[in-house]
Amino acid sequence: MQATVRSFDETTRSGTVFLDDGSVLEFGTPAFDAGPLRLLRTGQRVNLGMSGGEISYITLSTFPVPDA
């Protein structure tokens, strides 16, 4: 699933994304730490891995999501 970064807190390594339908989802530190990223910027396109209705993995849209 793809989304756009709405917010990102470098201190907590968590934030929110806009889905393409306009809805907002939060991601926590574990989802950010599961990927290879060090930073996200507002407006950046990302790929999401979902588990149980929550974001479990977040990475750049040019990188593959494991087990997707």
Side-chain angles (χ1 to χ4, degrees), residues 18-34:
F18 285 116
L19 298 182
D20 290 342
D21 67 4
S23 58
V24 176
L25 288 179
E26 294 182 5
F27 65 90
T29 305
F32 183 79
D33 288 348

Side-chain angles (χ1 to χ4, degrees), residues 1 17 19 25-26 48-57 65-66:
M1 172 183 300
V17 295
L19 298 182
L25 288 179
E26 294 182 5
L48 308 175
M50 302 292 291
S51 177
E54 294 186 6
I55 299 172
S56 59
Y57 188 93
V65 174

Side-chain angles (χ1 to χ4, degrees), residues 4-6 16 20-22 26 29 31 34-37 40-42 44 47 49-50 55-56 65 67:
T4 303
V5 176
R6 178 178 180 244
T16 59
D20 290 342
D21 67 4
E26 294 182 5
T29 305
L37 305 178
L40 287 171
R41 293 184 318 264
T42 301
Q44 198 166 23
N47 278 339
M50 302 292 291
I55 299 172
S56 59
V65 174
D67 301 323

